Amino acid sequence: MALKTSGVRSRMDVGKDGGKGTGPKGKILLFNREKGRRIRNAKDIHSALVKEFGAENVYDRVWTPEMVPIPQAMDFMRGVSIMVTPHGANIGNTAFMLPGSALLEVQPQKCASQGKMRAYEFTSSVLGLSHQMISARDGLMCAGVDGAGIFVEPEKVRVEDEGCRV
């Protein structure tokens, strides 16, 4: 279940100092929801991230919005180099990520194939973040109101631009 790492350039590669090796690199965050549009197999994805990138480069658990109170969100998100999360309001937290970080946005298969929800691709660009959309294996409802969540194959959690050396 190895993850592909030839991907989105982020602070995992260069650090905050532009590649001189002195700045903090940040960590990978798997940010999920408890209901609705959530990743059903988030624990499997988290385990695969830890296996591929090392525990020191991945936050210690699958995080939910309830775990990051709004007053602390700004500081917390500045420590995130790559955020993996389902499409939705969680992505608003990218406003607090440092430029050079990356967003891996998971969308239900039907929505991803139709290219309907591209707003975060554009906001990522404005914020100086790399963006990669990941299509889940299932999910017919863009709104995710059925509560069943979506399933993502761990090998899809990858980044695809040249030059990534996470």
Side-chain angles (χ1 to χ4, degrees):
M1 184 177 343
L3 299 178
K4 297 181 181 173
T5 58
S6 60
V8 169
R9 193 152 172 80
S10 74
R11 289 185 306 121
M12 290 291 291
D13 302 321
V14 298
K16 198 161 114 179
D17 63 350
K20 298 178 184 136
T22 58
K25 291 179 12 170
K27 288 188 170 187
I28 299 170
L29 171 67
L30 180 53
F31 207 40
N32 203 19
R33 299 170 168 208
E34 292 187 8
K35 300 178 188 172
R37 200 180 309 118
R38 64 185 174 81
I39 300 171
R40 283 195 319 260
N41 62 324
K43 289 182 181 179
D44 295 336
I45 300 296
H46 184 265
S47 294
L49 289 168
V50 168
K51 181 177 179 183
E52 182 68 24
F53 299 108
E56 69 279 3
N57 293 313
V58 180
Y59 280 96
D60 62 344
R61 65 184 146 243
V62 177
W63 287 73
T64 63
E66 296 77 22
M67 299 166 102
V68 186
I70 292 173
Q72 288 79 37
M74 287 174 49
D75 285 336
F76 178 79
M77 293 307 294
R78 289 186 191 288
V80 174
S81 177
I82 299 173
M83 180 166 82
V84 181
T85 191
H87 172 85
N90 287 348
I91 296 177
N93 288 292
T94 58
F96 306 125
M97 292 170 69
L98 295 174
S101 299
L103 167 64
L104 276 65
E105 174 185 2
V106 180
Q107 290 191 5
Q109 184 179 43
K110 181 177 181 180
C111 300
S113 65
Q114 294 174 353
K116 286 184 173 183
M117 301 187 294
R118 298 186 59 203
Y120 295 119
E121 177 183 345
F122 301 116
T123 56
S124 293
S125 175
V126 169
L127 294 169
L129 308 177
S130 296
H131 177 272
Q132 178 69 41
M133 198 266 293
I134 300 169
S135 175
R137 183 174 76 187
D138 55 8
L140 299 177
M141 300 180 67
C142 292
V145 293
D146 60 355
I150 53 180
F151 182 89
V152 181
E153 292 96 346
E155 60 274 7
K156 280 195 171 185
V157 181
R158 66 182 188 278
V159 287
E160 297 179 345
D161 291 340
E162 289 297 318
C164 185
R165 291 177 297 284
V166 178

